[in-house]
Amino acid sequence: MKDFEIIDNCLMVKLPREVDHHLAAYISENADRYIMNDKVEHVVFDFEDTRFMDSSGIGIIMGRYKKISCFGGRVYAIHADRQIMRILNVSGITKIVEVLN
C-alpha cells in the first residue's frame, strides 16, 4: 500500500514507523490535498508499521478530524499497537476517532 490511497470513499493514510514533527507537515498537507481534491468522506489512519508517535501525531489526526467532520465525515484508526493505543487514550483522541483493531 502507498502512503496515501483512496479506497471507495475513504482516504487511507499509512503512517510511517515514527510519527514526529519532522513528518507532520508532509502527512498533513498530503492528506488535506486528498480530502479537498478527491472529496473523500472518511479518513483512516493505519498504524500497522508505527512504533513511535509524539504529540505532532495527535495534531495530524485532530487537524484531519476538523476538516473531514465539516463535511459529515469520520476518522478511524486501525492496527494501533498497545503503545499507540495508550497515546490515543491519554490524549483523549479516542473520544472523536473510532479505533478499529
Side-chain angles (χ1 to χ4, degrees):
M1 182 176 143
K2 303 173 206 141
D3 293 344
F4 301 90
E5 186 175 6
I6 296 175
I7 299 174
D8 295 326
N9 61 348
C10 295
L11 171 60
M12 305 293 292
V13 181
K14 180 90 167 160
L15 295 171
R17 184 168 182 80
E18 295 187 3
V19 179
D20 57 20
H21 71 281
H22 294 292
L23 291 173
Y26 168 79
I27 295 167
S28 296
E29 289 167 11
N30 281 286
D32 287 350
R33 191 173 311 117
Y34 280 99
I35 290 168
M36 300 311 290
N37 295 337
D38 294 299
K39 307 293 187 230
V40 298
E41 293 179 29
H42 308 289
V43 179
V44 179
F45 289 99
D46 186 347
F47 288 93
E48 185 173 22
D49 297 333
T50 308
R51 298 297 168 257
F52 171 82
M53 181 172 74
D54 66 12
S55 61
S56 62
I58 298 302
I60 292 168
I61 297 168
M62 283 295 303
R64 285 356 84 205
Y65 169 79
K66 287 178 182 176
K67 273 202 171 41
I68 204 79
S69 65
C70 290
F71 305 112
R74 301 200 50 183
V75 175
Y76 300 90
I78 60 172
H79 302 131
D81 68 13
R82 213 173 87 218
Q83 182 174 340
I84 299 301
M85 275 305 303
R86 186 176 158 282
I87 294 166
L88 296 174
N89 283 322
V90 168
S91 70
I93 206 91
T94 54
K95 291 181 175 90
I96 59 168
V97 171
E98 188 172 345
V99 179
L100 309 169
N101 278 340

